[in-house]
Amino acid sequence: MDYAAMYRQAMTEGRKDQAHTIVVSASQAAQAGGLTPEELSALVDEVKANPCT
């Protein structure tokens, strides 16, 4: 699952609640070992570039 792309799309559409949910889901997937370091890094870079605050 491409969490970075999903986050980027949500932010592009102004859906900050959805973007936050994607970050939470990705965090849970990472804790369960379901994300590669590269996938997690891509999401972190996307969040840094477009914070959902």
Side-chain angles (χ1 to χ4, degrees):
M1 197 172 286
D2 189 346
Y3 288 101
M6 293 185 331
Y7 178 88
R8 185 180 320 108
Q9 183 68 33
M11 289 301 289
T12 298
E13 295 173 359
R15 297 181 294 129
K16 291 185 178 184
D17 288 342
Q18 180 67 24
H20 176 75
T21 299
I22 292 164
V23 171
V24 171
S25 295
S27 298
Q28 292 171 344
Q31 289 175 347
L35 249 70
T36 66
E38 294 81 10
E39 290 171 319
L40 187 56
S41 179
L43 177 59
V44 168
D45 290 344
E46 193 62 44
V47 171
K48 284 181 179 179
N50 298 299
C52 64
T53 57

